[in-house]
Amino acid sequence: MSSFYLPFLSILLISVAMQAASITTNEAVLNNGTLTVKFDLTRGGAISYISLSDKPRNIVNIADEGRYIQQSYYAGKSLNRKAEGQSPSWSPWAWNPIQVGDAFRNRAKILDQKTDKNTYYVKCTPMLWDMNNKPAEADMEQWTELHGNVVHVRNRLSCHRTNDPYGENVESDQELPAVYPISALNNLYTYLGNAPFTKEPLNNPKVINLSSGFWGVYTNVTEHWMAFVNDEKWGMGIYNAGCTRFLAGRSGEPGREATDSSTSYIAPVKKSSLGKNTVYEYQYDVIVGTLDEIRSKIYELNNKKVK
């Protein structure tokens, strides 16, 4: 081989090494050289791990099946089903399929999956959160792509409920999605003003603890994102262009890591009524970096959306 081609070959090999995708028995992994993202295949293929590729510190809390970054939906009336195995801690409760598993730590089952370079697809049967080992009459699908410091995700719920007791035509807040950053990312930032995407100063609201009765509720999130960052203003932002209402807060103490019970929480929310045969889709982005990098990338994403 001519020596002329050797530098080109070296660059090509480095590029291939930086974009890797793999599937093992328990997890799928995407790594684009900037971010490493892992999906738990024992828990519906939900996102269980995000780190910088060169710094293996997971910034996703995975302390129980209600955490992770996952799909979670609500439909119908809240019912007392304790006689059928419903958790007393979660009764009464609506129809609530979630991607990872239920409150009894039974887990969702993978139906299909595939990966290619910087993309991963998974399909699972979710579990009803409040019930003991009761799969939901629904399928969840998730498409994930890595673009630099951005994790882009498209989700789909396909309902096929038959004669269930919850009823229809009940609007509920949908978590789009439910995101649990580690509580070491302890500072909350967003923009709550009326001049979005003009680089106006950010808001830094007090973090509401779940022990107060509920998460913090934010209704004028006009740039469609919130972020939890550390004291150096580095962390994770969540952007959903379809939402201006968010929930956010903390359970437990700041300063904890991925497997600790304390956690941060963010969820873009929107009211929707999910019928027995509804197909519901949405997309969102997780951006990792400094607060300035997060906001700058969201401005780029918004510009692409509006063109």
Side-chain angles (χ1 to χ4, degrees), residues 99-253:
Q99 188 175 359
V100 172
D102 62 34
F104 298 86
R105 311 209 80 155
N106 302 295
R107 302 171 183 176
K109 300 298 189 297
I110 301 292
L111 300 175
D112 190 19
Q113 61 174 322
K114 57 186 176 182
T115 186
D116 178 34
K117 294 183 180 179
N118 68 334
T119 65
Y120 176 65
Y121 165 80
V122 65
K123 181 179 182 180
C124 76
T125 299
M127 303 297 288
L128 291 183
W129 171 251
D130 56 314
M131 303 298 291
N132 189 0
N133 200 25
K134 188 172 181 61
E137 292 182 308
D139 299 326
M140 287 180 179
E141 296 172 275
Q142 176 178 296
W143 293 259
T144 305
E145 302 176 3
L146 299 188
H147 302 283
N149 67 332
V150 177
V151 185
H152 178 71
V153 183
R154 179 165 63 92
N155 285 335
R156 176 188 293 158
L157 172 74
S158 299
C159 303
H160 42 83
R161 294 151 53 198
T162 57
N163 300 317
D164 68 38
Y166 298 96
E168 298 188 82
N169 302 316
V170 177
E171 278 202 336
S172 302
D173 278 336
Q174 308 300 339
E175 299 171 292
L176 304 175
V179 180
Y180 288 85
I182 58 175
S183 73
L185 305 179
N186 58 310
N187 302 296
L188 182 63
Y189 282 88
T190 188
Y191 176 71
L192 299 172
N194 294 319
F197 302 105
T198 60
K199 300 183 180 180
E200 286 288 299
L202 292 175
N203 298 96
N204 176 210
K206 179 183 177 181
V207 177
I208 304 299
N209 200 291
L210 185 60
S211 62
S212 68
F214 197 58
W215 307 109
V217 180
Y218 304 89
T219 58
N220 194 42
V221 187
T222 52
E223 290 187 351
H224 315 295
W225 66 276
M226 300 192 87
F228 268 108
V229 298
N230 61 19
D231 291 341
E232 288 71 45
K233 295 187 178 180
W234 181 92
M236 175 194 301
I238 310 302
Y239 170 72
N240 183 327
C243 296
T244 57
R245 184 166 178 260
F246 279 61
L247 305 178
R250 180 184 303 120
S251 176
E253 303 174 346

